[in-house]
Amino acid sequence: MLRQKIIKNIFFLAVIVLSFVLFTSLMETTSLLLGDKKADLTQKHRYSISNESLNIAENLPKRVNITLYMSKDLSAEYPELGIQSQYLLRLLNKYQAASKGKININVKSPEPYSATEYEAKSEKIRAFPDNSNTKNLYFGAVFSNNLGEKYTIPYFSIQRQNYTEYDISRILAKLSGYNKAQIGVISYGGNIMDWQAFNKIKEDYVLTELSRTSISIPKEIKTLILYAPQKVDEKLTYALDQFIMRGGNLILFIDPYAETIAQRYPYTKKNTISLLPWLNHLGIFMDENKIIQDMSDNKTNYFSFLDTQNTENLYFEINQAQINTPDEIAKPHKLSFSSAGEITVSPISSATYTKILTTSENIGTLDTNIAKTEISEKIINNLKKEKGNRAIGYLVEGWFESFYPDSIYGNISDIEILPPFVLSSLKPSKIFIFSDSDFLADTQWNAINYLKGARVYDQVPSNNNADFLLSLVDYMSNNTEMAKLRVNYLYTDDYSIADQISAKIYRKYQKEYLQKDADLRKLQKEFLDFQDAFKSKKNIMSLSKIQEYDDFIRKIHKLNEEKKVLDYQVQQEIMQKVNYVMLENMIFYPFLLLLFITIITKLYLRCKRKQEIGMLHE
Amino acid sequence: MRQLFALIKKENYTFFNGWSLWIIGGSYIFLSTFLNFFMGGFFSLSNAGLYSFFSFQNIVFIFVCPAITMKLWAEERKYGTIEFLLTQPISLSKLVLGKFLSCLCIIGFLLFISFPFWLYCTLNYNMDNLNIITTYFGCFLMGCAFCAIGCMISALSTSSAISYIGTLLALFLISFADFSRLLHLTKEQEDIYIRLQNSLNFDYHYYDFLTGQISLDNVFYFVLLSIVGIWLNIRILEYKKG
């Protein structure tokens, strides 16, 4: 009896162990049979690796080692980083599968005071403390090839999650050998080299700033970025002309109203773009007295919303439908413009002109001087509504004739040191022209994003703008694999829910903001006139004037206070809305549903019971 | 089939006609939304797929599923009704399947009470609904597997409390346990261990659903786990019966 029981127990245990073994082996077999095939049901296939990235992995010429330094406690300490690590591991596995064995992944967990931790530190992997601040955690990777080339991502931050695939693919492309070209920059907009867009270019290229009075562009420079040219020296125009004749590629930011420059020189009312005749010769035209604004619904809202906050930018965004990049350049998610101009072309037969960036059908035009000098209300009122989309970015490729009839150029004293004069293109060249120079300005976009309530680094539109410039530089430098890479928006392409709530509430108070703003401006102007009258001795100091002066100050102070109160009110309403959202969804709606189900169940059971009693009676 | 429906009806009657509906349903939705708002970053993330809500569903289910399954067999055994049940003209497999399906109805109901939240978000914000539907499907499959394990553990014990704690522990172990540090493994052994752990881990397979991706091996994992759970449940009952 006892023996039978023992045998039965052993058999039962064997069944459990066997089912466990069977389960794991079945799982392994299915994963081997089915592979890593997944149907991505998200909008725009956010979690699928792009074909461009897979191509890079497939065509790797050399073996690449990826060492991922990932602390074991990452998920326990920071759950968000745990989710990010899951995404990263899956992504790396996809690269590995596509590379057919050319990518080797090594995951290391740096324990405190271990050799691995020392190694991670020496590879410049960023250490960050755990929640109790007792030890360091690591979440970075080193990419290297057999030639000793090495690139490090020190930390896979949550804020840069959308860029994970983009960053890895760029590194893999660089490890495959790329053209680390020298890129020239000539700027009329101050110290632009610190801007995000140029910092991005600096990571992958040699960026050289050239003088505005250059008489020739160095021959090592094949791509030149010319930023916001205003009064261009004739010598430089000559140098640019010859650069194009040599087959150089030019990225040009030209603007009827460059806010970045206006901020530096606020009293300059009229900017003349002296480069226009040369551009006209190349078949490119722009009316410097007219700026355009996209008047499509949502954009007008943003514009008005911004306007309430004392920024007088005619700001608009264009989406993917309005971007027509060639196959070699990644289509950005969206691009942002501020007081852009309109580009028109009169094609010359030896070149092709491609409209890359356009506005929507509903546009508004405005005189440049009004945009520069008038207050927001007047800017809005003066917008002339027109139909038909306008070009704000053109790509011109081909052969050109020189702007200069001969090489003898009187104003250049040291003519003998110049390269030989070229009358027409030796090689085809590419020119990309943007009708907005503020497209790249960090200061401009930071202000806009601050007002829009952007908190996440990835949502900063200048990133899209900067990414697009980087893609253009890749394209111009013949790094086509890199130019095709795009940023993958993992969560959504829009704003966070808090941003959406804030925008809705701000819009509600838009009129009040506008009114207060207009009142304040009017009062400030009157006050300035009043002060000027004293300076010009039109007014004489008297007791009534002192009182008037006091009144002005008091009124301005009062209006400022009222604006602060309005701000506070808006903030309070946002907080209230957030609380309501939480309360409604945590308690109100679910419990209402539960109550409804309970009532329905009770009624159903009562009906049934009645039926049963009826049947019993029968 | 009629017997199966009768059994499901009987099991669900006690749930829908009692306080269990309010206690389990209420705590599920409160816990889910609380984690979503206060830990998931619902407002700060641009989570079109309601990532902040669904990323905690595995943890919420670990607490809720044992509560659904704890009394299935344990109470029958405690009150001595199991003998009566086993002598009924219904096969053991149908009996187990009926109890399991009644649990699935409750899981479906729990997911249903989170629909108003989804509806609210869809009406007010930009949502990726296909991603959300995929995640709901993943949640349901995960619920199936959790309930199968819960049913199995409930069949082993005579006390509901032990059954709850046992299921909770088992689910925690399968979801989060990492013994690699205790085992002092070499690099190669660790790779095998991680592979084995990933093939068993709930989280690993749920993550794909969370990110709007459906793969056959993930569906197969949850279905297989449920089948194994039900099969072991039958074996346990047979063992206890014999």
Side-chain angles (χ1 to χ4, degrees), chain A residues 46 50 160-167 200 320 330-333 458 463-464 467-468 471 484-490:
Chain A
R46 297 193 303 267
S50 67
R160 215 174 153 73
Q161 196 178 21
N162 292 341
Y163 281 79
T164 314
E165 187 194 321
Y166 178 81
D167 289 342
K200 273 176 177 256
Q320 285 195 322
K331 202 177 245 195
H333 177 63
D458 301 314
N463 265 359
N464 289 306
D467 291 339
F468 186 57
S471 294
K484 282 179 197 167
L485 293 173
R486 62 179 168 84
V487 178
N488 193 13
Y489 281 79
L490 289 179

Side-chain angles (χ1 to χ4, degrees), chain A residues 367-427:
Chain A
D367 185 80
T368 311
N369 278 332
I370 293 177
K372 282 180 185 175
T373 53
E374 290 300 339
I375 60 166
S376 47
E377 265 183 317
K378 262 200 169 171
I379 291 175
I380 299 166
N381 293 337
N382 276 292
L383 272 171
K384 208 164 82 189
K385 285 184 184 172
E386 286 178 26
K387 279 277 168 196
N389 40 24
R390 308 295 160 99
I392 44 179
Y394 249 104
L395 177 65
V396 184
E397 290 174 274
W399 308 73
F400 306 95
E401 293 290 320
S402 171
F403 184 54
Y404 296 94
D406 52 52
S407 67
I408 300 148
Y409 196 61
N411 291 341
I412 302 172
S413 53
D414 37 7
I415 190 91
E416 60 280 1
I417 62 154
L418 286 174
F421 173 72
V422 182
L423 197 60
S424 61
S425 287
L426 296 172
K427 282 182 198 167

Side-chain angles (χ1 to χ4, degrees), chain A residues 113-128:
Chain A
Y113 309 109
S114 66
T116 321
E117 187 179 37
Y118 178 75
E119 189 186 302
K121 277 181 183 169
S122 63
E123 295 286 6
K124 291 175 185 154
I125 302 292
R126 194 179 303 156
F128 55 98

Side-chain angles (χ1 to χ4, degrees), chain A residues 542-590:
Chain A
S542 66
L543 200 62
S544 65
K545 292 289 170 197
I546 291 169
Q547 265 180 349
E548 216 176 312
Y549 184 88
D550 272 355
D551 278 349
F552 266 123
I553 290 176
R554 208 171 295 127
K555 277 179 192 166
I556 290 170
H557 184 70
K558 192 184 161 206
L559 267 173
N560 274 325
E561 285 299 309
E562 278 173 7
K563 271 188 86 175
K564 276 184 198 166
V565 169
L566 196 62
D567 271 337
Y568 179 74
Q569 240 175 324
V570 170
Q571 286 306 320
Q572 285 298 307
E573 201 163 317
I574 291 170
M575 283 309 295
Q576 212 172 24
K577 179 74 190 167
V578 166
N579 288 336
Y580 274 137
V581 171
M582 289 199 289
L583 206 69
E584 280 167 355
N585 289 295
M586 275 171 72
I587 297 165
F588 186 68
Y589 294 133

Side-chain angles (χ1 to χ4, degrees), chain A residues 2-37:
Chain A
L2 188 72
R3 200 185 145 155
Q4 250 185 350
K5 203 175 178 184
I6 290 169
I7 291 169
K8 203 179 158 191
N9 281 349
I10 290 169
F11 178 73
F12 180 65
L13 272 173
V15 163
I16 290 179
V17 173
L18 201 73
S19 57
F20 174 77
V21 173
L22 204 72
F23 176 76
T24 39
S25 48
L26 260 171
M27 274 317 296
E28 277 298 300
T29 321
T30 32
S31 66
L32 279 173
L33 282 173
L34 301 171
D36 201 28
K37 286 186 186 99

Side-chain angles (χ1 to χ4, degrees), chain A residues 8-9 12 15-16 19-20 23-24 26-28 30-32 34-35 37-43 46-48 72-73 83 86-87 90 93-94 106-107 111 135 456 459 491-492 494-501 504 577-578 581-582 584-587 589-591 593-595 597-598 601-602 604-605 608-609, chain B residues 9 13 16-17 21-22 25-26 29-30 33-34 37-38 42-49 51 55 109 112-113 116-117 120 124-131 134 156 178 180-181 187 190 195-196 199-200 203-205 207-208 211-218 220-221 224-225 228 231-232 235-236 238-239 242:
Chain A
K8 203 179 158 191
N9 281 349
F12 180 65
V15 163
I16 290 179
S19 57
F20 174 77
F23 176 76
T24 39
L26 260 171
M27 274 317 296
E28 277 298 300
T30 32
S31 66
L32 279 173
L34 301 171
K37 286 186 186 99
K38 280 169 191 149
D40 190 348
L41 300 178
T42 52
Q43 275 170 9
R46 297 193 303 267
Y47 288 93
S48 295
K72 273 191 178 156
D73 294 339
I83 293 165
Q86 292 221 33
Y87 168 67
R90 279 167 167 80
N93 285 336
K94 284 175 190 166
N106 193 5
V107 185
E111 296 293 327
K135 66 175 178 183
V456 182
Q459 287 166 3
Y491 292 107
T492 180
D494 223 313
Y495 304 100
S496 72
I497 286 167
D499 292 340
Q500 291 179 49
I501 291 173
K504 262 187 198 170
K577 179 74 190 167
V578 166
V581 171
M582 289 199 289
E584 280 167 355
N585 289 295
M586 275 171 72
I587 297 165
Y589 294 133
F591 284 83
L593 188 68
L594 280 176
L595 194 71
I597 292 166
T598 314
T601 319
K602 295 275 177 201
Y604 170 76
L605 289 173
K608 223 174 160 204
R609 202 169 297 149
Chain B
K9 225 168 159 184
Y13 176 83
F16 285 99
N17 197 31
L21 171 92
W22 281 87
I29 197 70
F30 184 78
T33 45
F34 180 85
F37 289 122
F38 294 100
F42 172 76
F43 291 106
S44 56
L45 275 179
S46 334
N47 47 354
Y51 197 92
S55 59
F109 165 76
F112 171 71
I113 54 172
F117 178 56
Y120 178 87
N124 289 289
Y125 315 112
N126 305 324
M127 289 290 142
D128 185 349
N129 289 320
L130 210 55
N131 185 352
T134 315
L156 279 169
D178 181 6
S180 58
R181 272 187 203 169
K187 182 80 191 81
E190 200 176 330
R195 203 179 158 80
L196 197 72
S199 70
L200 287 174
D203 264 14
Y204 184 83
H205 293 277
Y207 177 83
D208 283 335
T211 54
Q213 295 174 86
I214 289 187
S215 66
L216 277 175
D217 67 327
N218 289 331
F220 184 71
Y221 166 81
L224 189 69
L225 201 64
V228 170
W231 184 74
L232 280 175
R235 294 284 84 83
I236 290 165
E238 267 176 359
Y239 169 76

